[in-house]
Amino acid sequence: MRIPSKVKLVDVGPRDGLQNEAAPVPAEVKIALVQRLQDAGLQGIEVTSYVSPKWVPQMADRHAVMAGIARREGVVYSVLTPNLQGFEAALPDRPDEVVVFGSASESFSRKNINCSIAESIERFAPVVEAARAAGIPVRGAMSCALGCPWEGEIAPGRVAYLAGLMKQIGVQHVGVADTIGVGTPRQVQRAIEAALQHYGIDAVSGHFHDTYGQALANTLAALEVGVWQYDTAVAGLGGCPYARGATGNVATEDVVYMLHGMGIATGIDLDRLVDAGAYISGFLGRKPHSRAANALLARRTQQPA
């Protein structure tokens, strides 16, 4: 396939990026981050999750955040709903899309959510059914699609197996996720080709972490097979707690800089995006995990990056 001329990015910073922060991030800061992201032109934002606050206390303010965002036409506000109880809690907050997740690694599935892959799919099936009955699209995140802390490299057949299970329960879109950031470009292409056994190219996205500095190369590899939708996180927020040394999701700023340099349209204003990353990084007391953002911020003050 030819490299796409347009790409859609879903910024997962407000949810996936912030959920593991130890210090509380107030609802008003999360709301302001969402506002800055949509001001920058993001058309997809993963806002929060409806997991038990006992397990993810950072997302306990989900209702306040969803109520506080100033929704903009054309922007899809998605939320993570790991079970039917979570979906029912999310429904009054009017999400545009719900996200369920499953692992391509049996070990990761058992360690992360204490059940097998097949059992996790059984748990998500009523969520998908309820969401679709309510007219809400469902996206499936396929975690550890390239590597697992316990099992090592994941075979493409495991990705195909998980994608097939998600297709069976009615998930409309799947994301190939390198949860611990160990994948390399050819692995990415094989994993995507496995997902394409069950989904069309318009229903497959990439989600890459930058633990080994491969995220941009992996994005390019996915572009080469026609993938035009990606999850990214402003300022490179986030990361998997099971990946020692992980630096988080690939930074939205870095991906946008690369795409624009390739002549690929995103609809995103890079300067405003850099400001959004600087805003949340300033609150967290650190520099953005984005080379592009730090270089552009340094250029503004005429200092070396």
Side-chain angles (χ1 to χ4, degrees):
M1 296 183 183
R2 290 186 301 176
I3 289 178
S5 60
K6 295 181 180 179
V7 158
K8 177 184 176 182
L9 300 182
V10 175
D11 198 293
V12 301
R15 198 282 300 176
D16 188 19
L18 294 178
Q19 69 176 5
N20 291 321
E21 290 291 330
V25 179
E28 57 266 26
V29 173
K30 296 172 184 171
I31 292 166
L33 175 59
V34 171
Q35 182 67 47
R36 284 168 167 79
L37 290 172
Q38 61 188 24
D39 286 347
L42 268 298
Q43 294 182 315
I45 303 172
E46 194 171 286
V47 179
T48 189
S49 68
Y50 290 78
V51 284
S52 169
K54 175 183 176 182
W55 301 113
V56 187
Q58 191 67 256
M59 299 288 111
D61 57 3
R62 58 216 183 178
H63 296 299
V65 173
M66 288 296 285
I69 58 178
R71 298 193 183 216
R72 182 166 299 174
E73 186 176 353
V75 178
V76 173
Y77 303 94
S78 58
V79 301
L80 187 74
T81 56
N83 51 41
L84 189 57
Q85 183 179 3
F87 173 75
E88 290 171 345
L91 200 54
D93 292 335
R94 300 181 297 110
D96 297 313
E97 178 186 64
V98 298
V99 182
V100 298
F101 58 90
S103 175
S105 158
E106 285 286 357
S107 298
F108 190 88
S109 184
R110 292 186 182 278
K111 295 279 188 180
N112 191 36
I113 56 176
N114 198 33
C115 66
S116 69
I117 295 172
E119 289 168 341
S120 73
I121 294 297
E122 290 178 7
R123 184 182 300 176
F124 299 139
V127 178
V128 178
E129 182 180 4
R132 296 196 60 172
I136 302 173
V138 182
R139 177 161 50 96
M142 300 195 297
S143 62
C144 287
L146 298 167
C148 167
W150 295 278
E151 296 183 15
E153 185 173 344
I154 297 298
R158 302 304 300 169
V159 179
Y161 169 69
L162 178 58
L165 292 177
M166 287 194 166
K167 186 74 169 182
Q168 287 174 19
I169 64 170
V171 173
Q172 294 149 294
H173 178 110
V174 290
V176 175
D178 185 12
T179 308
I180 62 170
V182 296
T184 54
R186 290 291 177 259
Q187 287 176 281
V188 166
Q189 291 180 340
R190 288 193 291 267
I192 289 169
E193 287 163 0
L196 290 172
Q197 294 177 27
H198 300 281
Y199 288 87
I201 194 67
D202 292 338
V204 174
S205 57
H207 180 122
F208 305 123
H209 287 228
D210 207 29
T211 310
Y212 286 86
Q214 300 295 294
L216 284 178
N218 290 341
T219 301
L220 179 58
L223 286 166
E224 289 175 345
V225 294
V227 174
W228 58 274
Q229 298 175 84
Y230 298 89
D231 295 344
T232 60
V234 67
L237 294 172
C240 177
Y242 299 113
R244 184 174 297 177
T247 55
N249 294 283
V250 65
T252 310
E253 300 95 320
D254 290 346
V255 175
V256 170
Y257 182 84
M258 181 183 78
L259 293 174
H260 288 184
M262 296 172 66
I264 298 173
T266 65
I268 294 171
D269 183 318
L270 182 55
D271 284 328
R272 286 192 169 191
L273 179 63
V274 167
D275 289 340
Y279 166 76
I280 191 61
S281 297
F283 176 83
L284 296 172
R286 57 177 180 251
K287 277 188 171 184
H289 290 303
S290 163
R291 291 185 179 182
N294 288 322
L296 290 168
L297 288 167
R299 186 183 298 173
R300 291 179 185 178
T301 57
Q302 296 184 332
Q303 296 175 355

